[in-house]
Amino acid sequence: MKKLRTILLIILFLLLAGVISFYFYIKNLSKPISSDQNVIDVRVEIPSGMSVSKVSKLLKQEGLIRSDKLFYYSARFPQINKIFFPDEEEFTFTLRSGIYHIQNNMNIVQIQKNLSSGQQEYIRVSIPEGYTISQIAYVLEENKICSALDFIQICKSGKMCLQYNIPGDSCEGYLFPDTYFLTAGMNAESVAIIMINNFFEKIKSVPNLSEMNDEDLFYTVRLASVVEKEYAVADEAPIIASVFKNRLRRNIGLYSCATIVYILTEIEGRPHPDRILIEDTKIDNPYNTYKWAGLPPGAISNPGLIALDAATNTPKTNYYFFQVVDAEQGRHVFTSSFEDHVENHLTVTKRAK
């Protein structure tokens, strides 16, 4: 009996020693990779839909944790963290996609809190004035914000137009060109909402614009979208707008090459042309301002404040034509008669030769 008791005590001692050894082994695995003196900051990208298992392996690969299995199981079973990190505040781990900065002196609980926080790195995205929906979409995709196709589809959906009382069949013209701070893997609709809300906020700075009703605003945005693509020097934008308004009043076609480019690239999906051909101006499309008088049925770009102000607060002039006279600076000459316009055209052509 005494011998049996001794054997049981030995077994119990060995089990206890094993448990203690296992505890300290796991405790060691849960420690930070580095001390506070040797801190390295690592940029970690967590795409939407990435599993906790894959994140664990990524963190191990990046040298941020000692064991991917321990990270995985402690994320799945928070009771493990209570045992090894009793001083850490209890929380529920929820993996959020995005771009994070993680230091190698963080323990696994601190890393899990970081990935659950949603405090991600913001990606700076600049949208130039005059970009179209598809051009914006590809900028967003290149920066890994959202899918280009998803963005195009949501911006051309009736849902968004209905939500913002946009009379057209797309949000073209209402995506304000600006610098945005976004996060990776965003929902395309969320991005579109940010840009459209920014449009309605920014137009408050343009006199007489934000007070317009939906139809008048839509008209002005369409005109501004053409002005945006035609002007190169800011002080000429209002004069170009006056030319177009004069032509619209007399039911004369705008004859804007920018609308032809829009047809070729955005509607027909062709590469950007080096020059507009005669046959291009004969394309049977409502956006063709060589063939039809009036504004195109929708915006052909997303204009900035200069073009929007020019289309809203347009000066009165007698000009009906404009011609580039300095291609390098983008300067134009403006004329009232077709005869003067032809003469200027011939003069410019002779200079070019």
Side-chain angles (χ1 to χ4, degrees):
M1 191 70 176
K2 189 175 180 181
K3 188 176 181 182
L4 179 61
R5 188 183 302 165
T6 303
I7 293 171
L8 288 172
L9 285 172
I10 292 171
I11 292 171
L12 185 61
F13 174 78
L14 291 173
L15 284 172
L16 184 61
V19 168
I20 293 171
S21 298
F22 181 73
Y23 172 83
F24 282 106
Y25 171 72
I26 299 298
K27 183 74 174 174
N28 186 61
L29 288 179
S30 65
K31 287 180 180 177
I33 289 288
S34 177
S35 64
D36 290 338
Q37 285 76 33
N38 252 340
V39 179
I40 296 174
D41 184 273
V42 181
R43 183 178 183 272
V44 178
E45 184 175 340
I46 310 296
S48 180
M50 193 175 198
S51 67
V52 176
S53 175
K54 287 185 178 177
V55 169
S56 304
K57 290 175 182 174
L58 175 63
L59 294 172
K60 178 74 167 62
Q61 182 183 323
E62 294 289 345
L64 292 167
I65 57 175
R66 298 177 186 274
S67 170
D68 55 312
K69 289 184 174 59
L70 177 60
F71 186 91
Y72 173 79
Y73 285 113
S74 66
R76 288 296 186 194
F77 305 102
Q79 295 84 358
I80 295 174
N81 287 334
K82 287 182 185 178
I83 296 170
F84 295 102
F85 301 96
D87 296 332
E88 291 284 354
E89 186 180 344
E90 191 175 337
F91 78 105
T92 302
F93 177 69
T94 305
L95 181 61
R96 301 180 190 277
S97 62
I99 297 174
Y100 296 86
H101 285 267
I102 299 174
Q103 292 76 45
N104 63 346
N105 66 336
M106 297 169 69
N107 64 42
I108 59 174
V109 176
Q110 291 169 333
I111 294 173
Q112 287 169 8
K113 284 182 177 179
N114 194 342
L115 299 180
S116 297
S117 68
Q119 294 178 354
Q120 311 161 18
E121 174 190 76
Y122 285 99
I123 302 170
R124 187 175 187 272
V125 180
S126 293
I127 307 299
E129 295 172 346
Y131 262 33
T132 61
I133 286 173
S134 64
Q135 288 174 314
I136 294 172
Y138 290 116
V139 170
L140 294 171
E141 185 166 278
E142 283 174 7
N143 284 276
K144 299 181 179 179
I145 305 300
C146 64
S147 154
L149 182 60
D150 288 348
F151 186 78
I152 291 169
Q153 286 178 341
I154 195 66
C155 288
K156 293 186 177 181
S157 71
K159 175 185 176 182
M160 295 300 289
C161 293
L162 187 64
Q163 185 174 335
Y164 287 95
N165 297 320
I166 299 171
D169 56 7
S170 85
C171 301
E172 195 83 86
Y174 291 79
L175 303 167
F176 194 77
D178 205 347
T179 296
Y180 294 91
F181 293 89
L182 307 168
T183 56
M186 286 184 70
N187 178 280
E189 183 174 345
S190 300
V191 181
I193 287 171
I194 288 170
M195 292 184 176
I196 298 171
N197 284 342
N198 192 27
F199 168 85
F200 283 104
E201 186 61 35
K202 288 294 172 67
I203 65 172
K204 291 177 183 177
S205 67
V206 178
N208 308 312
L209 184 56
S210 60
E211 296 88 351
M212 290 182 181
N213 61 41
D214 298 332
E215 288 293 340
D216 288 344
L217 178 60
F218 183 53
Y219 183 94
T220 304
V221 166
R222 284 149 62 203
L223 174 58
S225 75
V226 181
V227 173
E228 181 67 63
K229 302 300 284 187
E230 293 286 359
Y231 90 88
V233 185
D235 61 21
E236 289 189 357
I239 309 173
I240 289 174
S242 77
V243 169
F244 287 147
K245 282 194 174 181
N246 288 339
R247 295 177 76 89
L248 287 167
R249 271 192 289 269
R250 295 187 60 180
N251 204 33
I252 302 170
L254 299 185
Y255 278 48
S256 167
C257 291
T259 61
I260 304 299
V261 172
Y262 187 82
I263 295 169
L264 297 175
T265 59
E266 299 297 318
I267 298 175
E268 297 188 352
R270 292 199 246 165
H272 195 288
D274 293 327
R275 60 194 180 92
I276 302 299
L277 305 175
I278 294 297
E279 52 263 36
D280 295 332
T281 64
K282 297 178 181 177
I283 296 173
D284 189 13
N285 187 288
Y287 280 83
N288 186 347
T289 56
Y290 279 81
K291 192 166 185 177
W292 310 106
L295 287 171
I300 64 165
S301 74
N302 289 279
L305 290 178
I306 291 173
L308 286 165
D309 185 51
T312 306
N313 303 294
T314 312
K316 289 184 179 180
T317 71
N318 294 319
Y319 298 134
Y320 284 85
F321 306 92
F322 58 90
Q323 165 77 34
V324 175
V325 289
D326 187 337
E328 197 172 307
Q329 291 189 8
R331 284 283 176 187
H332 298 83
V333 62
F334 298 87
T335 51
S336 300
S337 70
F338 182 68
E339 290 75 17
D340 289 343
H341 177 64
V342 171
E343 187 177 330
N344 282 324
H345 180 74
L346 292 172
T347 303
V348 171
T349 304
K350 284 178 184 177
R351 282 179 191 167
K353 289 180 180 180

